[in-house]
């Protein structure tokens, strides 16, 4: 039994085991369905034979946003695989759609060949959270791992860049990079939750002190930590000026929110003649009953959507932090079983937090302007109020170039000896 495979599967299962509240019914048949859907939809993407210094993988638009500035800076030295159709990527020959059809085929292969390992892990963990599809996640993680080893073998990259540390396709890249002895680099795509797994990258550029302390409590396994701030926020720190009176309100929703409760809050805001703007998570398909009365925001960048906004309202989402960094106040409207999932409350990121829509409306009507909201986020974004504020990307690349120089020196020493 490979200890690295065990560690990889545990890492891929970690969040689901600690979070799932509803049954996940996916199984080996689900993988078979995915495979045939990919094949018959003609999404038969191939493996790239290009060789590049830097390798990137983006599984979602949020993951791409986290790495976008670095990727664009290193574009002529990079190979990227991506998933999704809504990514604003630079077009070049070293940009490939991830061949999921191969990973699904290899997942079926893993379900058969690694069945003994998968069963042992299932028996060990099944009582921890019966809602988790343990065999499915274990199989599909192994399938991605087998594929990613092949992908990285062809790329011959010197670094692997990722912005997620717990989803199975990202976790499988971490361990495939370890297999090939390629250093892996992590840049956060969102704030860190205490239910995340241990950090296992070679290098991590964390947003700030909060992320570092959270990972320190979770576990850091041989990762070199750097606190440089948030790359995607370059140019956006303290971008907007707060208004004395609230007029334009942006409501942000995602899959974990109760849409009916948000509809009720929106109705109350409309009754009081506020201009209400709505921004949905990219993969949320829910149609609001009062949507025709709203200004629906569809900008690719969330920070662009904050232009002209006096106040933002959202549920459990990292957008509160991004709003604060740009200097826009926000209200936390909790409608799910979670409460302050990211721990923003005790650090003053929210202007207020409530589960009651009437209380929120009352607070908005009696709002008192706060200046320098962005300074509240200092512990989350290390570059705030430093001489490299809004220049995190350049600092990260400079540090990576330093890693590369050090590696060359060590290689020369080894060859000389």
């Amino acid at each position: 039994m490979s200890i690295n495979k065990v560690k990889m599967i545990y890492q891929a299962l970690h969040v689901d085991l600690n979070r799932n509240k509803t049954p996940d019914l996916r199984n080996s048949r689900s993988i078979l369905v995915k495979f045939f859907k990919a094949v018959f939809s003609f999404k038969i993407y191939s493996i790239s034979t290009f060789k590049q210094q830097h390798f990137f993988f983006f599984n979602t638009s949020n993951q791409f946003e986290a790495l976008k500035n670095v990727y664009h800076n290193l574009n002529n030295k990079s190979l990227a695989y991506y998933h999704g159709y809504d990514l604003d990527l630079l077009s070049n020959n070293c940009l490939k759609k991830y061949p999921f059809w191969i990973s699904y085929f290899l997942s079926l292969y893993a379900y058969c060949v690694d069945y003994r390992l998968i069963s042992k892990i299932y028996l060990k963990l099944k009582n921890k959270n019966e809602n988790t599809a343990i065999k499915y996640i274990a199989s599909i993680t192994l399938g991605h791992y087998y594929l990613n080893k092949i992908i990285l073998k062809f790329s011959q990259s010197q670094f692997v860049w990722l912005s997620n540390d717990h989803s199975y396709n990202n976790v499988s890249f971490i361990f495939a990079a370890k297999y090939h002895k390629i250093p892996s680099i992590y840049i956060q795509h969102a704030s860190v939750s205490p239910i995340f797994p241990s950090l296992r990258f070679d290098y991590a550029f964390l947003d700030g002190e909060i992320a570092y302390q959270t990972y320190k409590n979770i576990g850091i396994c041989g990762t070199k930590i750097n606190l440089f701030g948030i790359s995607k926020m370059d140019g956006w720190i303290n971008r907007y000026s707060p208004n004395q009176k609230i007029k334009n309100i942006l409501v942000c929703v995602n899959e974990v929110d109760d849409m009916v409760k948000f509809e009720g809050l929106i109705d109350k805001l409309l009754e009081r003649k506020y201009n209400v703007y709505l921004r949905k998570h990219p993969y949320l398909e829910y149609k609001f009953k009062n949507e025709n009365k709203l200004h629906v925001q569809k900008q690719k960048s969330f920070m662009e959507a904050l232009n002209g906004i006096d106040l933002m309202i959202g549920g459990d989402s990292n957008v509160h932090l991004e709003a604060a960094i740009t200097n826009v106040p926000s209200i936390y409207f909790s409608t799910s079983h979670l409460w302050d999932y990211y721990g923003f409350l005790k650090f003053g990121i929210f202007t207020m937090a409530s589960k009651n829509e009437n209380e929120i409306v009352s607070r908005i009507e009696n709002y008192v302007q706060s200046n320098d909201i962005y300074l509240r986020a200092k512990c989350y974004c290390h570059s705030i109020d430093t001489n490299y504020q809004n220049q995190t990307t350049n600092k990260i690349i400079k540090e990576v170039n330093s890693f590369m120089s050090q590696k060359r020196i060590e290689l020369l020493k080894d060859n000389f000896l």
Side-chain angles (χ1 to χ4, degrees), residues 22-55:
T22 55
D24 184 345
L25 303 178
R26 293 176 297 178
N27 52 32
S28 59
R29 288 191 297 275
S30 305
I31 302 172
L32 189 62
V33 170
K34 283 176 177 285
F35 171 70
F36 281 116
K37 276 187 176 180
V39 171
F40 289 115
S41 63
F42 300 104
K43 296 177 181 177
I44 312 297
Y45 307 115
S46 60
I47 296 172
S48 174
T49 57
F50 284 105
K51 297 173 176 58
Q52 289 286 18
Q53 197 172 65
H54 298 275
F55 181 94

Side-chain angles (χ1 to χ4, degrees), residues 126-144:
K126 67 176 182 177
N127 294 326
K128 182 164 184 177
N129 188 335
E130 60 185 12
N131 292 319
T132 303
I134 295 172
K135 289 185 177 181
Y136 169 86
I137 295 174
S139 301
I140 210 160
T141 301
L142 287 165
H144 280 72

